[in-house]
């Protein structure tokens, strides 16, 4: 294991910044390296093979930068690539390094939010088609009813900052309606895509006021804190100078401008060619 490494945080683009923000808020002492694969985003409609191939390439990049722990802060990558990377690739390429996702920590607690034992999952096509959420949630809450809705238009709306207008509302209302008509018992909605927290004000317009809308940022931050507590060898190896570095596979000016919006603070990125 390398001597002192930053924690890697990955997303297909900007969405993971909403997770990084909560992680840094809760665990500011560590160093973090963020990579957005903006040149190839969105991942949501891509095949299993493509998402796996892109994600593995990015994970390898983190390893080359010295990261020993990488968080896939992207549901689509967590759904379509994480298991194969953990089971097939890591033992061969980096047996002492760890790659974690966002689905399991969310599945572990989502049932606690619902009184009616019925939750709705809003996610990309890829995440929904993978059935990862219903499968993972069933391990922790076997009695919970899980309903899913793919929202393929939402990521492009967010990425292009076109989410606060009547055009966006049309797609948001349509997907919410399609989800809520699956069951009138749904009292909890999970934003199972790291881009969606930016839509929360628009979503509120179409969701009953008593319905809980759950974003993943603090769930993932809590889970990382717990993981580091339970794995002292990994924790001891983490650099702790509170430094943040941002990388993108596309235009840095664009990343800095839009990314600041997701992260909530100005950011300065560097370009990386993969
Ligand atoms: N933000 C990613 C997620 O959580 C996906 C966005 C994309 O389609 O690239 O699923």
């Amino acid at each position: 294991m390398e001597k002192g490494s930053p924690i890697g945080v990955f997303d297909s683009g900007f969405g993971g910044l909403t997770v990084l923000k909560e992680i840094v808020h809760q665990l500011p002492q560590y160093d973090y390296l963020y990579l957005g694969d903006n040149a190839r985003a969105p991942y949501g409609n891509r095949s299993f093979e493509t998402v796996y191939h892109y994600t593995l390439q990015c994970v390898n990049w983190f390893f080359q930068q010295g990261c020993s722990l990488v968080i896939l802060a992207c549901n689509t990558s967590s759904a379509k690539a994480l298991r194969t990377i953990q089971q097939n690739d890591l033992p061969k390429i980096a047996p002492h390094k760890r790659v974690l996702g966002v689905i399991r920590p969310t599945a572990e607690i989502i049932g606690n939010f619902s009184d009616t034992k019925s939750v709705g999952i809003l996610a990309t096509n890829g995440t929904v088609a993978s059935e990862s959420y219903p499968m993972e949630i069933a391990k922790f809450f076997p009695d919970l009813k899980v309903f899913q809705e793919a929202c393929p238009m939402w990521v492009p709306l967010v990425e292009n900052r076109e989410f606060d207008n009547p055009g966006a509302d049309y797609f948001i209302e349509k997907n919410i309606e399609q989800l809520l008509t699956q069951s009138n018992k749904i009292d909890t909605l999970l934003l199972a895509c790291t881009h969606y927290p930016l839509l929360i004000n628009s979503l509120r317009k179409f969701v009953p006021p008593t319905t809980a809308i759950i974003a993943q940022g603090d769930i993932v931050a809590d889970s990382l804190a717990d993981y580091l507590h339970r794995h002292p060898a990994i924790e001891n190896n983490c650099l702790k100078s509170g430094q943040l570095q941002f990388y993108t596979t596309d235009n840095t000016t664009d990343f800095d401008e839009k990314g600041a919006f997701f992260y909530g603070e100005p950011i300065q990125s560097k370009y990386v060619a993969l």
Side-chain angles (χ1 to χ4, degrees), residues 113 187-190 204 207-214:
F113 294 97
D187 68 348
T188 303
L189 296 183
L190 172 66
R204 269 276 153 238
V207 168
T210 51
T211 303
I213 303 180
I214 309 296

Side-chain angles (χ1 to χ4, degrees), residues 7 10 15 25 62 90 119-120 123 138-139 141-142 151 158 175 177 180 183 191 212 226-227 237 240 242 245 251:
I7 297 172
F10 169 73
H25 180 73
F62 279 110
L90 278 189
V119 301
K139 293 179 192 162
F141 300 97
C151 313
V158 173
N175 288 125
E177 214 177 278
L180 296 182
S183 164
L191 306 183
D226 178 58
Y227 181 87
N237 184 253
K240 297 180 191 75
Q245 290 184 72
N251 185 295

Side-chain angles (χ1 to χ4, degrees), residues 204-223:
R204 269 276 153 238
K205 295 189 226 164
F206 307 109
V207 168
T210 51
T211 303
I213 303 180
I214 309 296
Q216 292 175 298
D218 49 0
I219 297 175
V220 176
D222 286 348
S223 159

Side-chain angles (χ1 to χ4, degrees), residues 11-13 15-16 41-45 73-77 124 127 155 192-195:
D11 186 57
S12 60
Y43 281 11
N45 290 328
C74 174
N75 286 273
T76 310
S77 289
T124 63
T127 300
V155 167
C193 170
T194 52
H195 282 67

Side-chain angles (χ1 to χ4, degrees), residues 4-185:
S5 53
I7 297 172
V9 178
F10 169 73
D11 186 57
S12 60
F14 298 111
L17 292 168
T18 63
V19 175
L20 179 67
K21 182 166 121 187
E22 298 301 331
I23 292 178
V24 172
H25 180 73
Q26 194 171 142
L27 301 165
Q29 66 272 39
Y30 299 110
D31 288 20
Y32 298 95
L33 212 58
Y34 181 90
L35 174 64
D37 191 9
N38 298 79
R40 303 185 292 198
Y43 281 11
N45 290 328
R46 298 195 189 280
S47 69
F48 174 92
E49 289 72 22
T50 302
V51 173
Y52 162 67
H53 172 72
Y54 288 174
T55 306
L56 180 61
Q57 210 179 5
C58 293
V59 164
N60 270 317
W61 177 84
F62 279 110
F63 289 168
Q64 283 157 16
Q65 309 312 303
C67 295
S68 298
L69 175 63
V70 178
I71 314 292
L72 301 184
C74 174
N75 286 273
T76 310
S77 289
S78 298
K80 293 182 131 181
L82 179 61
R83 187 167 297 244
T84 313
I85 290 175
Q86 285 175 332
Q87 293 179 352
N88 295 356
D89 298 296
L90 278 189
K92 285 182 239 148
I93 59 173
H96 301 298
K97 300 197 179 212
R98 294 290 173 264
V99 182
L100 306 174
V102 290
I103 295 179
R104 189 184 169 105
T106 310
E108 278 175 10
I109 66 156
I110 190 65
N112 298 337
F113 294 97
S114 174
D115 293 327
T116 58
K117 301 279 165 257
S118 305
V119 301
I121 310 288
L122 297 157
T124 63
N125 274 334
T127 300
V128 168
S130 75
E131 293 283 327
S132 298
Y133 272 100
M135 285 190 297
E136 281 298 314
I137 291 172
K139 293 179 192 162
F140 302 99
F141 300 97
D143 298 331
L144 197 73
K145 295 218 164 34
V146 180
F147 302 90
Q148 302 196 90
E149 172 71 9
C151 313
M153 291 303 290
W154 292 13
V155 167
L157 288 170
V158 173
E159 291 262 320
N160 291 292
R161 288 179 60 175
E162 287 286 351
F163 54 84
D164 207 5
N165 57 46
D169 282 356
Y170 169 82
F171 290 105
I172 293 168
E173 184 175 17
K174 183 174 159 188
N175 288 125
I176 291 292
E177 214 177 278
Q178 282 170 190
L179 177 62
L180 296 182
T181 50
Q182 292 182 49
S183 164
N184 59 11
K185 289 229 169 70

